[in-house]
Amino acid sequence: MSTNTDVSLSLYDEGQGSKFIRKAREAPFVPIGMAGFAAIIAYGLYKLKNGGNTKMSLHLIHMHVVAQGFVAGAMTLGMGYAMYKEFWTKPKP
């Protein structure tokens, strides 16, 4: 009774950096969405600190909607890219 534990244990030996790079290659729009979300949040915090006369709740709602829209757009583009790779670039048998 031999078990194939070498293959299953090799996935656990993967470091966080190499795992992130592997996942980014599989789905390139995920890091783009994460970076865009972080940039929008940073911009929102900057505008909140140096901002003018807008109410805090209105500012937070606007930033929430913009960040959510960016992430949803990146996910949509990622799905479109995955569908393109799956259905149109595969060689026909």
Side-chain angles (χ1 to χ4, degrees), residues 25-87:
R25 285 187 184 142
E26 291 173 3
F29 283 96
V30 172
I32 293 170
M34 291 169 55
F37 181 78
I40 290 168
I41 295 300
Y43 174 73
L45 290 174
Y46 171 77
K47 288 293 280 184
L48 185 63
K49 182 179 176 190
N50 299 333
N53 53 3
T54 56
K55 285 183 170 182
M56 170 82 87
S57 61
L58 187 63
H59 177 75
L60 291 175
I61 289 171
H62 286 166
M63 287 298 110
H64 180 265
V65 168
V66 170
Q68 209 171 19
F70 187 86
V71 171
M75 288 173 53
T76 304
L77 287 175
M79 287 300 297
Y81 177 72
M83 287 174 60
Y84 173 75
K85 280 178 53 178
E86 179 75 23
F87 297 112

Side-chain angles (χ1 to χ4, degrees), residues 5-7 9 15 21 26-27 29 32 35 41 44 51 56 80 88-89 91-92:
T5 58
D6 294 336
V7 174
L9 291 178
I21 291 171
E26 291 173 3
F29 283 96
I32 293 170
I41 295 300
M56 170 82 87
W88 284 290
T89 60
K92 297 190 179 184

